[in-house]
Each structure stands twice: as C-alpha cells, then as structure tokens.
Amino acid sequence: MAVDESGRTFGIVAVDAAARPVAEAWGTRLRELGRPVQTWFGPAPPLDAWLTAARVGYRLLLAGPEADLLALRARAGVLLDAEITLYVTDSRERVVRCARCRTATRTAAAVLDCAGCGLRMAVHDHVSTVHGAHLGSWSGA
Amino acid sequence: MTELVVSRTADPAPGIRELTLADPRGGPPPAAPPGAHVVLTCGDRRNAYSLVDTDPYVVAVRRQGAGSSWLHRLAPGDRVEVSGPRSTFAPVRTARRHLLVAGGIGVTPLLSHAREAVRWGQDVRMVYVHRRGAYAAELRALLGDRLREAGRADLERALDLTDQPLGTHLYVCGPPGLQDRVVDAAARAGWPGARIHRERFTAAPEPGVAFTARLRRTGRDLAVPEGTTLLGALEAAGLAVPSQCRQGVCGECRLPLLGGRPLHRDHYLAPEERAAAIMPCVSRAETLVELDL
Amino acid sequence: MTRLSRFPFPLAADTFTYTTNVEPARVPVATAAGEWGAGIVEPDDEYRTEVAERAAVVARDPSRVQLLPHMRPAAWDALLTLLRELAAQCPAHMALVEGPQCLWRNDLLGVEQRFTVGDDESLPGGPLGFLNGQLQEDVVLLDQREDALWVDAGAVAFAADWSLAFVTGMRFAEVHRPVVARVHQAGVLTRAEQFLLRLPPGAEYRRLNWTLSVDRRLDLSTEVREEWEPQRAALAAAAPAELGRRVHLRVELQHLIRLGASGAVLFLIRTHLLSLDELAAVPAWRRRVGRVLAALPDDVADYKGLSGVRPGVVRWCLEP
C-alpha cells in the first residue's frame, strides 16, 4: 500500500507481526524522501503524546488487525480521514459495544454475550469511528 | 429576495462604504452563520457581499465597478433588494484553532469568524494583510496579541504554517494572488485540502440567462426570463407540473426532454438520464429546450 | 383537534416506495379526517403526557441527550429557535423574553426559567436537556464539515430502533448503513444528504416516515430493545380484536431545518401513533394500510420490523 507523500511529518504504527513489512516499507520510503518519521511496533503506541507534539502537516499510518486500528482511530479524533492511512491485516475479530451497558467486548462471533451485563447481543453492520466499535443489541436468539 | 432599508452608512476605510441594512417592518433579518454572504441587486447587477454583521445586516463595499459604485451612492432611507443569506465559508466547528488570513477588504467574512470564535471561547489567530486597515481597530480590541498585521511583503514572516497545533483549520479571504500564496504554502507544509478554506466571492444562485422552452405537443414557445425557473414559467403559463422540493433533489417535477441544449443543475438525474429528462425546478437551457408537453 | 383529525397519514398510494420525499414545511395538509402541518412544532392534547415521558426516559438514561463540545453554538441556536417557535404557536401559554438574560415561561408545565445564552450551567440539563422537557419532538443536530453531515448532538427519547448514544459522532452516511439495499440502490440517501448539505440558512423542509409498533409505547430505542421487541413478535399470533387495539401506525413527522445563526442542520422528529381501531374510522385509510402492507417487498418489511405482524394486519385491514 502506497504511502501518503503529501504530509510533512509522520507517525507509523505496526500493531502485530503481520503489519511489520508494510510499516517498514512505509518508513523506508519516507526516509528516502527525507521526512521525519516516528515508529512504534506493538499494540499500545504513545499516541496521545505523539498527537500533542505534532503540528498540522502530520500523517498517521496504522497497520494491524481491524479491531486495533478502529480503537487507535478513535483515539486520534483530532485527525481528519485525509490524515490517516489504515492498513488492515486481519478482520476476523471485532469490538462490539453493548447498546444497553456500553461495555466493549472483543469477539469473532456474530452473536455473543456482553462481557459487561451479559446481554445476548447480535452484532450490527454499524461501525462508530468515535467509539471504535460495532453496535451490539439485544437478540432474542 | 426581500427589500431592506439602508439605516446607516459609514466609511471604515478610504474607498470602502459600509451599509447597515434593516428590515423596514422591524425585527431581525434572517439569521446567518459566520462567513455568510448575501446577493445585493445594484441597479442592473447582482453582487455578492459577505455579512460583517447579521442583526441588522452590515456589508462593506469596496468601489471597484458599476455595481459597487451604485451601492456607494445609497443614502439612509434608500431601499435595496437583498437575497436570503448563503453560507459557503462557514467555520469548521471541530477546529482546535481557527487560523484566519485576511487580505484587504477580504477581512469582512473573517471578522464575523473572529467574533464567533471569541464568543464561544475558541482558539483563534488572525493575520491581516492590509494598507488601509478597514476594521483593524475593532480586530485589535477583539483579538489583542492574537492579531498580527502585515504588509504584502512580510506575510510569510507573520504566518508560520509549519507550527500550528494539530486540528487547526485555515481560512483565507482576499485578493486571488494572496490566496494562492497562502494555499500553496499550506500545501507545501503538508496541510490536507480539507483544512484549507477559501472564500472566492462567487455570487450564489445564478439567475441564469433567458431561454425558450418549446412545448412540442401543444406547439407553444414559452419565454423563460433570467431569474425565473423553467418550472415557474410553466406554472405561470397554466401548466400543472407536480413538484415538491423545488431544489433539484426529490425528482417529483421530472419532465421528458426531446431536444435543445439543457443546462442540468439538479442532484437527481443520473448522467445517463440527462439526455432524455430535465428537472425544471433548477435546470435551464443555453438558448432552447424542447419538452414533451 | 383529536388524535385522528391531526394525524399525518403518510400513504399517498396503494404501493410504497422509498423516495427523497421532502417538501416545504408550514404548508397545511388536509386529510380525510382533518388537517396537519401548519406549523413546525404543534403542541396538542398529548403535550403534557409526552414531555413528562421524555423527561422520564432521560432521567432513567441520561445518554439519550448527547452534546459534543463543538455543537454548543448549535444547541443554543436550536433552543432559542424552538422556544420562539413554541411561543409563537401557543401565545396564550408560552413566552420567551430575550435579552442578556432570557426568560422562558411555559404555563402548560408551570415552568418559569431564566437563563443566559451560551451558559450551559444556567439551564437544568443544559440547552438540549432542558429543550427535551419542553418539546414533544426528538431533536438531532447535524454538523457540516468535509462535505458531509455528522450526527453530533441531540435529545432523542423516542427513537424507533436506533441509538443516539451510539451514532453520535458518526457521518450521516454511516448512520444509515443498515438501511435496506434497495434504498441505497435508488440513491435516495445520497440525494437526501446532498439536499441537506445545500440547504441555505433558514430553510425549512419536512418529510414523513412510518412503521407499525405496539401499544402507545414511544421509546423504542435500541438501548431497551429487549423491552419492546418481544411484544411485537408475540403479536404475530394475536386475535383480530387484540391487533386492532394494540397495533399502531407509527408516523414520524420529520422537519429538516438549517439553523441560521449556527449553520447546523436541525432534524426534528415528532412521533404520532394511531391504533388500527382508531384508523378504521376512516375506511379509506384502513384499506390503504392493508394494500400497502400486502404489496410491501419482503426486505422493506424486514427492515421496518414488520414481517411477523404483517399477515395479521393485512387481514385485519382488508377482510370485512
């Protein structure tokens, strides 16, 4: 996946091992262009510190499982879609937010019991980039 | 269009006339967001002006042509046709900082932006490039050291586009050359287009030019004057065309098109439908359309 | 005005298709039973009951009121716009005095409230929480940026199977993703968003939406799905007398207004409920509902949640 070269400074996150090659390719290309890059390998980048220090012109490049990327996107609400590149390595698992108690549960199932209130939930197509989660609601099943 | 009355005139800078326009029936004119403009009918012209203030309406007119000269001749008590407000240069409410860059009389929409940001406690900075300084005193009082004034030559010194907090939005209004300079510099500093907003002083709803609607089945030629919609002309001629939104969206007034050179302005018809249909509520023609009516 | 005479009957033909059915607001519509639509908000004989119910819903679940910080100007704009509208509609009972400090008087609720525009602390519940207790309508506020509309604030007590808390912060297009495929294919939502994006300041439009629901329960939000969905499912096997009494035609009168001062889009939803028994007072309405339901494509019926109850209601409406 091509890197967004219109930015001035960059942050790169590779959440899991599968994300590493694409993140390294991004970093290599940006260093060739002489652009400042900060990089993090692993699921818990210091995103808040990065975003506080960054100035307009910054781009965030994220690679990893969809559920992790959605959570990171939710924490980077200050950025526009045009300032973020997402590369999904795996979309089997989803984070599901319970409509009743708002607890987030990570799952690969289409129907599950909420980890917070135990509600039997169906997972909907609805995805919130603010909550970084799919909607789950009561299912009679 | 409504008729407003000039309640006050002033000269905030040489060559610039400020008009205060009030509703003769009393009460406020239609509310408008920061950065909005109205279209004034000035003799046989229609010019768009940003609203410096909205209750009552205040516009600042720089003398630069027939329309603006006509407006400069207005005196308190005169009446003027004013369109409803249009918003094409509104503040982005999620901005962490509003960075306003004004050149000359381009300050007018940004003055309303600055007032709104201060009113709601938002981070705002302004760079004002000017020689004559219309509204400079008011901006100094409003913004204090958040305002930087500069001449054309030292704009780059006053405006650092590489050191703005993430989430800043940039608004530019002024002469095209200055706008291009600022927008190019922002792009070089990595600003995405969605953070850059420019006011181009374009007039809102185009009245269009007069054309003819040929009604093939009834064998009539109907004249559609400038400023009248095709739908309006058909209705005035006694033809009942079902319509709903009258904004080119709902599809209700769709008519079969047989020929001519239509100017489609709707949001309803798919490209492949446009050879055989027209939405008369918003669409017009260069000179002629032929309809199956 | 009775429930029947002011009911905005939504079905104009014997078949139903999704369209971007917007029309200018404030134009009265004559129906077989009366009239509706002369105003934007029209407090009626159910005003006290419904605002009390709205307040109770929000007291149980404060997440029904949402206000992202950048929407404060829009929330205050909506409050002033709608209080003015209420006062104009009910001059005998309500008045808004505007100034550095405003005074709102609502004799129907025994409310006299002073507040300062822009000071969220000056109103109990903030601008939207307070508004929620004065209006029969649900309120949603859309922000416009990046050539899109975003659902960024609201006070929604009577949602029909959606969740304001979940969709707050989402794009208009994302919010409507679960809508049936045929609506997307027809381009209805894209056109609707384009229409809203271009609404000039002060523009006021409206549209109707409809479904069937059970009893006079107004709060059908996703948060409490387990409280209402089983009842609807259980009615599939109900006897005709029970259907007539309990099944309601649920109509949303939606207003779409571009607020002038803030530039936000105000989306107002008034929910009207009329039972089949009440509806049958107009035989043409009863037949129309039966024919529309009989002809409704299965995917639309599923989306509206009507599949279970549909056969019984069709028989109820069309069989003598």
Side-chain angles (χ1 to χ4, degrees):
Chain A
M1 184 178 212
V3 70
D4 172 8
E5 296 178 3
S6 67
R8 192 177 77 253
T9 62
F10 293 80
I12 295 177
V13 178
V15 174
D16 62 355
R20 218 173 163 115
V22 67
E24 282 170 354
W26 285 338
T28 303
R29 174 65 187 150
L30 290 170
R31 276 183 288 274
E32 279 169 17
L33 294 169
R35 308 282 168 79
V37 182
Q38 48 194 172
T39 308
W40 183 271
F41 295 101
L47 211 49
D48 298 346
W50 283 10
L51 297 176
T52 305
R55 305 282 111 180
V56 177
Y58 186 78
R59 298 289 187 280
L60 191 59
L61 311 174
L62 306 173
E66 186 177 349
D68 295 277
L69 297 197
L70 267 175
L72 293 173
R73 176 71 186 92
R75 281 170 57 197
V78 67
L79 295 178
L80 306 177
D81 285 348
E83 293 165 319
I84 296 192
T85 299
L86 300 175
Y87 181 84
V88 175
T89 55
D90 182 345
S91 46
R92 278 170 300 185
E93 287 194 324
R94 295 180 289 194
V95 173
V96 183
R97 182 181 163 94
C98 175
R100 189 167 77 178
C101 77
R102 298 187 278 280
T103 301
T105 307
R106 191 162 171 152
T107 180
V111 176
L112 67 149
D113 294 330
C114 172
C117 67
L119 185 74
R120 172 56 56 99
M121 305 190 287
V123 185
H124 297 260
D125 274 346
H126 253 76
V127 190
S128 162
T129 49
V130 176
H131 302 307
H134 288 253
L135 175 64
S137 77
W138 178 86
S139 147
Chain B
M1 283 288 187
T2 52
E3 208 174 43
L4 299 183
V5 62
V6 177
S7 61
R8 186 173 168 274
T9 65
D11 295 301
I16 294 170
R17 174 65 49 86
E18 182 188 271
L19 301 174
T20 302
L21 304 168
D23 191 327
R25 295 160 303 180
H37 65 264
V38 290
V39 178
L40 301 191
T41 305
C42 356
D44 56 357
R45 311 277 177 117
R46 283 187 192 165
N47 288 356
Y49 292 98
S50 298
L51 290 171
V52 176
D53 212 336
T54 55
D55 183 15
Y57 284 177
V58 176
V59 295
V61 179
R62 183 160 77 96
R63 189 199 293 270
Q64 55 184 349
S68 57
S69 298
W70 190 92
L71 292 171
H72 272 242
R73 289 194 292 273
L74 291 175
D78 288 345
R79 298 200 167 207
V80 58
E81 286 265 299
V82 183
S83 75
R86 296 271 155 172
S87 173
T88 54
F89 191 53
V92 174
R93 301 283 180 177
T94 48
R96 300 293 172 95
R97 167 180 288 178
H98 300 274
L99 178 59
L100 315 176
V101 181
I105 193 61
V107 73
T108 52
L110 295 173
L111 178 56
S112 66
H113 276 243
R115 282 203 205 103
E116 179 88 346
V118 169
R119 178 174 178 211
W120 292 98
Q122 295 195 295
D123 185 353
V124 58
R125 304 295 154 103
M126 186 173 204
V127 176
Y128 184 12
V129 178
H130 66 79
R131 277 173 299 169
R132 291 174 288 200
Y135 302 108
E138 180 178 349
L139 284 165
R140 283 175 209 133
L142 184 71
L143 298 175
D145 62 4
R146 293 173 291 179
L147 172 71
R148 285 188 185 180
E149 295 172 72
R152 277 211 172 198
D154 54 355
L155 167 64
E156 276 74 14
R157 182 191 51 75
L159 178 68
D160 187 352
L161 290 167
T162 64
D163 191 23
Q164 299 298 329
L166 221 49
T168 301
H169 281 261
L170 172 66
Y171 308 80
V172 198
C173 186
L178 177 117
Q179 289 199 24
D180 290 345
R181 248 166 89 194
V182 173
V183 170
D184 290 350
R188 279 196 307 278
W191 289 61
R195 292 202 180 281
I196 305 170
H197 313 278
R198 47 201 297 186
E199 172 62 288
R200 296 171 196 271
F201 275 119
T202 50
E206 307 256 348
V209 297
F211 63 97
T212 301
R214 179 160 293 160
L215 314 181
R216 281 263 198 95
R217 271 195 275 156
T218 43
R220 283 173 69 184
D221 274 4
L222 201 64
V224 184
E226 173 193 335
T228 300
T229 65
L230 175 55
L231 179 60
L234 292 167
E235 288 170 342
L239 289 140
V241 178
S243 69
Q244 229 177 51
C245 75
R246 302 178 85 95
Q247 302 250 332
V249 172
C250 74
E252 186 74 18
C253 66
R254 175 183 182 140
L255 291 177
L257 176 70
L258 297 174
R261 303 187 64 173
L263 294 171
H264 293 287
R265 297 161 149 194
D266 62 279
H267 314 293
Y268 181 82
L269 295 170
E272 62 274 16
E273 295 176 295
R274 299 196 164 203
I278 187 167
M279 309 304 305
C281 62
V282 290
S283 296
R284 309 182 64 82
E286 289 178 24
T287 53
L288 176 78
V289 278
E290 298 184 58
L291 304 172
D292 188 17
L293 280 175
Chain C
M1 295 287 264
T2 65
R3 200 179 277 162
L4 184 73
S5 69
R6 61 178 159 74
F7 189 71
F9 188 74
L11 304 170
D14 281 346
T15 53
F16 171 75
T17 50
Y18 277 103
T19 57
T20 314
N21 55 335
V22 287
E23 60 180 23
R26 298 188 200 271
V27 179
V29 175
T31 71
E35 186 188 287
W36 64 273
I40 301 263
V41 293
E42 300 181 278
D44 53 41
D45 45 290
E46 290 173 290
Y47 177 78
R48 282 196 191 83
T49 330
E50 289 188 13
V51 294
E53 174 65 14
R54 304 186 64 79
V57 168
V58 170
R60 279 196 301 273
D61 179 1
S63 82
R64 306 299 183 90
V65 177
Q66 294 284 330
L67 179 56
L68 295 182
H70 67 271
M71 295 303 277
R72 290 181 55 246
W76 282 98
D77 196 5
L79 175 81
L80 291 175
T81 301
L82 291 168
L83 293 185
R84 284 180 200 132
E85 202 61 50
L86 280 170
Q89 200 66 221
C90 310
H93 307 291
M94 303 182 195
L96 179 66
V97 182
E98 295 186 56
Q101 201 181 42
C102 298
L103 174 64
W104 170 244
R105 202 194 77 230
N106 180 345
D107 297 339
L108 294 180
L109 303 178
V111 166
E112 200 169 280
Q113 178 71 45
R114 285 175 202 283
F115 61 91
T116 306
V117 175
D119 177 4
D120 294 18
E121 304 298 313
S122 69
L123 271 180
L128 294 183
F130 182 76
L131 190 55
N132 179 68
Q134 303 295 312
L135 269 188
Q136 284 168 278
E137 280 77 7
D138 284 325
V139 174
V140 180
L141 287 167
L142 306 173
D143 187 32
Q144 182 162 339
R145 60 183 191 272
E146 297 171 64
D147 292 323
L149 291 163
W150 305 70
V151 177
D152 283 349
V156 177
F158 300 155
D161 202 9
W162 62 285
S163 161
L164 177 69
F166 186 78
V167 304
T168 296
M170 280 166 69
R171 278 185 164 90
F172 179 89
E174 291 169 342
V175 170
H176 291 90
R177 243 180 82 174
V179 172
V180 277
R182 70 172 64 235
V183 177
H184 286 295
Q185 283 155 11
V188 168
L189 285 165
T190 313
R191 273 203 299 281
E193 187 173 17
Q194 288 303 311
F195 174 72
L196 293 173
L197 285 168
R198 289 177 171 78
L199 276 185
E204 300 170 334
Y205 285 82
R206 71 183 178 207
R207 67 184 292 269
L208 295 173
N209 196 11
W210 65 274
T211 186
L212 300 179
S213 65
V214 179
D215 300 333
R216 297 201 63 77
R217 186 184 169 110
L218 285 159
D219 174 15
L220 303 184
S221 75
T222 306
E223 283 87 340
V224 291
R225 201 156 204 268
E226 70 273 22
E227 293 176 15
W228 55 266
E229 177 59 29
Q231 296 186 10
R232 187 160 67 174
L235 271 190
E242 192 181 0
L243 283 181
R245 197 176 68 249
R246 298 193 61 197
V247 174
H248 286 67
L249 181 58
R250 181 183 177 104
V251 175
E252 291 183 354
L253 168 55
Q254 305 175 344
H255 278 96
L256 310 157
I257 297 167
R258 173 75 73 175
L259 294 175
S262 65
V265 173
L266 167 64
F267 184 41
L268 279 178
I269 309 163
R270 171 73 202 282
T271 301
H272 293 267
L273 293 170
L274 197 67
S275 71
L276 295 181
D277 282 344
E278 291 168 305
L279 185 92
V282 181
W285 285 3
R286 172 182 175 156
R287 276 195 305 277
R288 169 77 35 96
V289 169
R291 287 178 186 155
V292 165
L293 282 174
L296 206 60
D298 290 344
D299 56 347
V300 178
D302 276 344
Y303 173 66
K304 287 180 178 283
L306 307 180
S307 299
V309 79
R310 170 157 78 153
V313 175
V314 169
R315 277 194 302 278
W316 194 96
C317 291
L318 297 184
E319 286 171 14

